[in-house]
Amino acid sequence: LPTRAFINAHTPLPMAALRGIDGCAQAMSGDVVVDLFFRLEKLMSADDVRAFTRMGAYESLLCGVGLVWEHYYHGRALADALVDTGLAGVVAPTLQDLDGPGVPWLERALADTAAIAADDALRERGVFAALGPHATDTVSDTLWARAIALAHECGGLPVHAHVGQSIHEFHAVRTRSRGLSPLAHLAKLGVLDAGLPLMLVHAHFATGADVALLRAARHALVTCPFSHALFSFPAPVPAWLDAGATIAVGTDAAASNDCMNVQKELRLLNGFASFTATYSPQLDAFWRAPPTASEDERLAPPAASVGAADDELARRANELFGVRQRAHEAVASRTLRSPTELLRTVWQTPGGLHPHFRAGAIEAGHLANLLAWDTRHPNLWPATDVLAALVMSDATPAIASMMVAGRWIGREPDRPDAPDFRRSLLDSAEYARAHVEADERLSALLERAGIQLVSAPSGAAGRAGG
């Protein structure tokens, strides 16, 4: 069964190297970006980034992702790593001038952006450019203006940015802008009215009034549900939908998720409405209900009848179930239970925002990013509702073949001796070399940072203590 490949609307692929490192869990209680990630990213070279990106790219391909919106440092290294592995992507080299590891690399990041946008060989491999101002607290008003100007100079490139992702960002922007929220600040700067596609990532601290400033035809809010649940809190996607916002879905980093499978994100979104009951006052009232009977009453013969209206516990149970029913029947909830609408967030929406290509559909003029599924695989069987299976099932083991930008990835299905899709990648000489280099570079990076792992990375035993 052929389908379009998935699109991941927000990845920092090199951060696969930071998955599970010591201190990550502890940093989740603070500002993980500043306390942990910035510390290590300052020490990464372009060659480190290229090596780590390859590993994140291989994971993405195995998850059926054919194209990523990649936002990180060392933009040319990101683009080269995508070509190395065959993954397509939009590369947004991180721009920072107020704070962050990218401050000393700013001019090179701007130059990389323009060079990637102008590179016909990269386009032919499915690699394109976007502007990547990091966030509203790490990018000055002047740099926002430069980014918008460069986007127009390069043919209307999209802007991919973190907006309202942390309480630190929220307060920093309010202080600098004299009371404006991050999104309202971008509106004041003219970013929202610049006529460019915008991918606005996270938006935890965006109000209904903020979201009303967006234009659904060219602005998308990007949610990363599992990453949000781990390091912050899930964004209010139902409220976004009620406000008419356009939604795309990403995984964020493997360091805060911890995988690149967008199916997992869709499954969580599918069940979002049910959390309304879990964290409701009605659940709290039901949980705190007094005992329904004493020991003597429990041992006594049943009463002739007990009216439900007179039973306090039954009343509270009914009120709790009513919360669930109302949430389940809401318009936004129905949208999040629709396989077609959920798949739109990883197909048409992130594939339709770049002016230089289209993806996320099997149509003429779109990137040939395709998956061939084995419908006999037990993870898809009996394949009576394939779209639902692509949302809810652990379907990726059933990928039989994959094409990205018109090229087969790993297995070429026309060959009679073609190996299994996964094995064709993992047993390749290219993957073996990438794995060895990434291991060596990760060990060296952690040593420079003074971080010791509880268990050393594979192939690097003895380099990190435990």
Side-chain angles (χ1 to χ4, degrees):
L1 174 76
T3 71
R4 60 209 97 176
F6 297 125
I7 301 172
N8 192 332
H10 180 53
T11 62
L13 291 178
M15 294 180 73
L18 309 185
R19 175 167 30 209
I21 69 171
D22 283 358
C24 190
Q26 294 88 332
M28 292 296 185
S29 62
D31 190 330
V32 66
V33 174
V34 174
D35 297 342
L36 181 66
F37 297 158
F38 278 6
R39 171 187 170 192
L40 285 163
E41 289 162 343
K42 290 176 181 177
L43 301 175
M44 285 188 193
S45 68
D47 288 337
D48 290 335
V49 165
R50 185 171 182 174
F52 299 156
T53 301
R54 290 191 196 109
M55 297 303 291
Y58 279 119
E59 180 182 359
S60 297
L61 291 167
L62 290 169
C63 290
V65 172
L67 186 142
V68 295
W69 285 77
E70 173 64 21
H71 188 142
Y72 207 65
Y73 310 97
H74 301 293
R76 185 70 212 196
L78 298 172
D80 289 341
L82 295 182
V83 172
D84 292 341
T85 57
L87 181 63
V90 179
V91 175
T94 297
L95 307 177
Q96 293 170 322
D97 66 341
L98 294 180
D99 190 21
V103 172
W105 308 323
L106 172 60
E107 296 305 322
R108 189 177 72 194
L110 288 164
D112 282 348
T113 304
I116 293 168
D119 194 320
D120 290 336
L122 287 178
R123 287 195 190 196
E124 198 268 335
R125 296 299 299 269
V127 178
F128 304 86
L131 271 295
H134 175 258
T136 54
D137 60 330
T138 57
V139 176
S140 70
D141 297 357
T142 300
L143 182 52
W144 278 105
R146 290 185 69 187
I148 296 303
L150 182 58
H152 283 298
E153 291 170 15
C154 293
L157 294 183
V159 175
H160 187 278
H162 309 83
V163 177
Q165 69 174 339
S166 70
I167 191 66
H168 172 84
E169 179 190 0
F170 178 79
H171 286 306
V173 172
R174 280 179 59 82
T175 298
R176 197 171 85 233
S177 66
R178 298 185 178 182
L180 295 178
S181 68
L183 264 175
H185 183 59
L186 292 185
K188 180 182 178 182
L189 295 179
V191 173
L192 302 187
D193 294 323
L196 298 169
L198 301 181
M199 299 279 274
L200 305 170
V201 184
H202 302 317
H204 300 291
F205 295 93
T207 66
D210 291 333
V211 174
L213 298 170
L214 304 180
R215 301 293 177 263
R218 65 174 186 269
H219 301 158
L221 292 172
V222 180
T223 184
C224 307
F226 263 90
S227 181
H228 291 174
L230 288 174
F231 82 85
S232 185
F233 55 87
V237 177
W240 290 357
L241 291 170
D242 287 340
T246 296
I247 312 296
V249 169
T251 58
D252 205 346
S256 62
N257 186 300
D258 291 356
C259 82
M260 309 307 292
N261 189 340
V262 295
Q263 277 196 296
K264 184 177 75 169
E265 312 300 321
L266 299 184
R267 287 196 289 270
L268 181 55
L269 280 178
N270 180 276
F272 251 38
S274 64
F275 292 111
T276 302
T278 304
Y279 297 104
S280 66
Q282 289 83 359
L283 187 284
D284 185 65
F286 181 77
W287 175 257
R288 297 176 183 278
T292 55
S294 66
E295 184 68 19
D296 290 341
E297 289 170 329
R298 283 196 293 270
L299 295 175
S305 64
V306 178
D310 299 325
D311 186 330
E312 176 63 16
L313 185 62
R315 184 186 67 79
R316 295 187 187 193
N318 289 337
E319 289 183 351
L320 175 58
F321 187 69
V323 173
R324 184 267 181 197
Q325 289 297 88
R326 289 189 293 275
H328 193 71
E329 293 165 4
V331 173
S333 176
R334 291 199 297 272
T335 299
L336 292 175
R337 292 200 310 278
S338 164
T340 300
E341 293 303 318
L342 283 171
L343 288 167
R344 185 183 303 279
T345 68
V346 295
W347 280 347
Q348 296 98 320
T349 295
L353 284 171
H354 202 291
H356 299 164
F357 75 92
R358 286 291 182 268
I362 304 177
E363 297 178 11
H366 285 59
L367 286 180
N369 290 359
L370 306 173
L371 297 173
W373 301 88
D374 179 3
T375 55
R376 300 166 300 172
H377 194 283
N379 287 34
L380 286 183
W381 186 87
T384 52
D385 187 339
V386 174
L387 291 183
L390 294 183
V391 171
M392 299 302 293
S393 301
D394 181 16
T396 56
I399 297 173
S401 303
M402 185 178 195
M403 175 179 280
V404 175
R407 293 175 172 81
W408 292 112
I409 299 297
R411 175 183 188 270
E412 296 183 21
D414 291 339
R415 287 175 43 200
D417 60 340
D420 168 82
F421 168 67
R422 289 172 177 265
R423 295 264 53 96
S424 71
L425 287 180
L426 298 178
D427 293 343
S428 67
E430 293 82 2
Y431 177 74
R433 288 193 295 269
H435 188 271
V436 169
E437 182 179 352
D439 268 349
E440 292 173 349
R441 289 189 173 280
L442 176 56
S443 291
L445 173 65
L446 296 177
E447 186 173 330
R448 293 196 300 274
I451 293 176
Q452 288 190 323
L453 300 184
V454 173
S455 58
S458 58
R463 299 220 180 176

